[in-house]
Amino acid sequence: MPLAIHPRRSVLYMPGSNTRALEKAKSLPADTVIFDLEDAVAPDMKETAREQVRSAVQFGGYDKTEVVIRMNGLETDWGEEDLFAAIAARPNAILVPKVNRADDVRRIAAAFSASDLEDVAIWAMMETPLAMLNAGEIAAASQDADIPLAAFVLGTNDLAKETGARLAPGREVLLPWLMTCVAAARAHGLAVIDGVFNDFNDETGLRMECEQGRDCGMDGKTLIHPNQIATANGVFAPSEDDVASARAIIDAFALPENADKGAITVNGRMAERLHLEMAEKTIAVAAAIAAAGR
Ligand code: COA
Ligand code: MG
């Protein structure tokens, strides 16, 4: 069965109040854009941003780019109106900030079910201490057919703020939480996207953090500036070597003499059927990236 893969190597935030950025998003090679109504928008711009984002998403023109709206939390003055506007705009997903427990996702899903929103997913920001403790329970909410939870997005700036942890190069202290979110997401078939790298003119630092996120199992990285897109697209895509190794494994298992074998040798290394599955995924991801033309 073909794998349904949507590349999410580069997931670019932009303030919903910035009309130039909303327009610019149409020509940027990001796999996904997040139009933000929350942290990137000042309180006196919340209404303006909501209307601009609603009309930009409804009007469309984002072609193969996945479009996500990040609302303010339901407990804020703007959350409910944001949710109604986002539902009316029909993005690919609505990103819910500061999710603490599964019930926070259920409340959003309840608003969805009143609106017949088959193609709109819920994404959850994982950025509070409680979310780290409840990650498994939050991801498990997606097992309910009425809850279209599809992705976790790490909010590392808020996590640092709320816990007192320091965001230092290497992110050593964050690793347990990053891996907790990866495990919870994968246990329930969700995508998982890494937090932002604030120093947007430091390409070397960004590359190291992208590589770390990739090695942790993340699908991609959230970004804050267009100059970060190419690095994330490169790091989170299978390399030519990855594709060649994957092809070799697929070809080897396709040989008649290997039809009944569980483990074989490919290029001097053991390859099991689990490696065949990984190889098929690598080829599917590479094909999806090629199909997106980025
Ligand atoms: N998305 C789309 N376009 C963006 C962008 C973004 N995130 N960040 C910058 N741009 C555009 C600018 O509008 C500008 O376009 P122009 O040349 O057509 O005028 C161009 O890229 C260059 O921008 P630059 O001058 O380098 O940056 P800036 O000083 O205008 O903005 C930030 C810097 C950090 C304020 C801005 O990048 C930003 O708002 N990032 C997103 C913040 C966010 O959404 N945070 C929430 C989640 S953490
Ligand atoms: Mg946040």
Side-chain angles (χ1 to χ4, degrees):
M1 199 175 76
L3 295 163
I5 303 264
H6 188 112
R8 296 194 180 96
R9 300 163 296 168
S10 50
V11 178
L12 177 66
Y13 283 107
M14 57 198 70
S17 48
N18 183 342
T19 40
R20 276 180 83 87
L22 298 186
E23 192 52 34
K24 212 178 163 83
K26 294 176 182 165
S27 59
L28 294 171
D31 289 329
T32 305
V33 291
I34 300 176
F35 298 146
D36 191 21
L37 303 178
E38 201 221 11
D39 287 345
V41 178
D44 61 352
M45 287 298 287
K46 293 286 188 191
E47 269 90 25
T48 309
R50 181 191 300 138
E51 283 320 306
Q52 282 177 184
V53 167
R54 186 221 297 260
S55 80
V57 175
Q58 271 173 342
F59 199 70
Y62 295 96
D63 197 22
K64 287 177 183 162
T65 306
E66 185 176 44
V67 173
V68 179
I69 298 176
R70 182 165 77 171
M71 59 183 282
N72 286 281
L74 280 183
E75 68 293 347
T76 68
D77 290 346
W78 312 285
E80 264 189 36
E81 287 289 315
D82 285 356
L83 183 55
F84 293 141
I87 284 173
R90 295 283 196 278
N92 296 109
I94 295 175
L95 175 56
V96 186
K98 301 183 176 70
V99 167
N100 283 316
R101 45 180 69 83
D103 273 351
D104 296 338
V105 176
R106 289 198 188 98
R107 284 164 70 205
I108 303 292
F112 272 42
S113 58
S115 311
D116 186 26
L117 277 182
E118 283 203 352
D119 296 332
V120 184
I122 298 174
W123 289 14
M125 287 300 303
M126 299 296 282
E127 57 184 344
T128 66
L130 271 176
M132 298 305 107
L133 298 175
N134 296 332
E137 171 210 305
I138 295 167
S142 65
Q143 301 310 293
D144 181 332
D146 294 330
I147 302 187
L149 177 65
F152 276 174
V153 179
L154 272 294
T156 39
N157 281 327
D158 267 293
L159 259 179
K161 169 177 170 267
E162 296 300 320
T163 60
R166 286 200 185 198
L167 290 178
R171 300 193 296 178
E172 226 171 278
V173 297
L174 290 188
L175 282 173
W177 294 327
L178 300 182
M179 291 314 301
T180 296
C181 289
V182 169
R186 299 310 185 198
H188 298 286
L190 307 184
V192 53
I193 302 157
D194 204 353
V196 300
F197 184 72
N198 297 324
D199 192 352
F200 60 82
N201 287 314
D202 175 7
E203 202 275 334
T204 308
L206 173 68
R207 178 172 297 279
M208 279 170 56
E209 216 173 91
C210 285
E211 288 170 353
Q212 181 190 44
R214 176 200 62 197
D215 293 351
C216 286
M218 304 279 176
D219 293 298
K221 192 160 181 69
T222 45
L223 309 174
I224 50 170
H225 194 282
N227 71 2
Q228 298 182 312
I229 297 172
T231 303
N233 279 354
V235 171
F236 285 97
S239 67
E240 279 178 27
D241 281 354
D242 295 337
V243 170
S245 305
R247 288 238 160 80
I249 291 173
I250 292 168
D251 291 348
F253 271 108
L255 294 172
E257 63 265 35
N258 291 332
D260 298 326
K261 290 196 182 142
I264 59 176
T265 304
V266 181
N267 294 334
R269 289 184 167 194
M270 177 187 74
E272 296 178 314
R273 298 241 159 219
L274 71 92
H275 297 110
L276 176 60
E277 278 179 42
M278 289 165 72
E280 285 166 347
K281 184 170 177 201
T282 299
I283 298 298
V285 170
I289 290 167
R294 298 191 184 102

